[in-house]
Amino acid sequence: AILYCFNKQKIFFGNYFSKKIAKFLLKFTTPLILSSSAVYFATFLDRIFISKFLGYEDLAVYSLGHRFSAALGFIIFGLVSAYAPQIYKNPYLSTVNKLFDDLFNLILLFSFVTYVGLYLFANDLILLMGNQLYQDSSTIILILSIAMIFNYSIILFPGLIIEGKTKLLAKINFITGLFNLVLNYFVMYF
């Protein structure tokens, strides 16, 4: 598929290499690559610490709880993705603020309903997907669900203020990853 697309699009490619364009692309994308790497690393850091300090049994309990709490992340990401075309169509319109307000209210509503459902049925869901050995996952579900609400709701926070600030975004994600590393070490060690 890649070769087919390349073959169809080769008429748009030139036979020259521009250092100016390459520098521009590297200047723009390098912070984004570093930022994405930091986010990816921070995402799996907790599982690495749990497997190293606590063991694979605790990792299994945590992973099951994390899977159920990720349902909130899917809901929030779905809502944001549904509104994204409207927002990016013309982000400077005054109606975009109303879209953000509506989206934030929808996220809070769906998050609350899902959280209450997880709170009421966490033990039953654990027994449905596992057995008594995973019963501690119900507590993890409740804690991580709150974290998921905050984590995915922050998608709405930056808005247009990050326009042209990819280096700042990379620094923030890198610092957040380091903070996550220190907190994971502190929680697992003590």
Side-chain angles (χ1 to χ4, degrees):
I2 292 171
L3 291 175
Y4 175 77
C5 290
F6 181 76
N7 191 32
K8 287 293 185 184
Q9 294 178 354
K10 69 182 176 184
I11 59 172
F12 298 109
F13 300 132
N15 293 330
Y16 64 95
F17 178 78
S18 172
K19 287 183 182 179
K20 183 180 176 182
I21 293 174
K23 284 181 182 178
F24 173 75
L25 289 175
L26 285 174
K27 182 180 176 184
F28 178 76
T29 58
T30 301
L32 293 175
I33 291 169
L34 294 174
S35 177
S36 299
S37 300
V39 169
Y40 181 80
F41 178 71
T43 301
F44 293 102
L45 194 61
D46 50 359
R47 292 172 187 88
I48 294 168
F49 271 86
I50 290 171
S51 65
K52 177 151 177 65
F53 287 107
L54 299 177
Y56 292 114
E57 294 85 12
D58 292 319
L59 179 61
V61 169
Y62 176 84
S63 294
L64 186 62
H66 188 273
R67 297 227 189 268
F68 279 110
S69 63
L72 282 167
F74 289 126
I75 290 171
I76 295 169
F77 185 74
L79 287 171
V80 171
S81 297
Y83 271 74
Q86 289 287 344
I87 293 169
Y88 289 119
K89 187 172 166 184
N90 194 345
Y92 298 103
L93 285 176
S94 60
T95 57
V96 171
N97 288 336
K98 172 110 173 68
L99 279 172
F100 271 109
D101 289 343
D102 292 345
L103 182 58
F104 187 70
N105 289 332
L106 279 172
I107 287 173
L108 286 179
L109 175 69
F110 283 111
S111 297
F112 177 74
V113 169
T114 306
Y115 185 78
V116 169
L118 287 173
Y119 178 78
L120 294 174
F121 300 109
N123 289 325
D124 298 326
L125 289 170
I126 296 300
L127 290 176
L128 179 68
M129 299 301 289
N131 55 31
Q132 292 290 359
L133 296 173
Y134 294 100
Q135 204 61 39
D136 290 340
S137 291
S138 60
T139 305
I140 293 169
I141 290 172
L142 300 176
I143 294 169
L144 288 179
S145 293
I146 293 171
M148 289 288 176
I149 292 169
F150 287 123
N151 186 33
Y152 283 98
S153 293
I154 204 150
I155 293 171
L156 300 173
F157 171 71
L160 297 173
I161 62 170
I162 64 167
E163 184 178 13
K165 298 179 182 172
T166 55
K167 288 181 182 176
L168 176 64
L169 190 62
K171 288 177 187 175
I172 290 170
N173 285 333
F174 184 74
I175 290 169
T176 303
L178 285 176
F179 192 64
N180 192 5
L181 175 73
V182 170
L183 285 177
N184 272 303
Y185 182 77
F186 180 75
V187 167
M188 297 299 162
Y189 188 72
F190 297 108

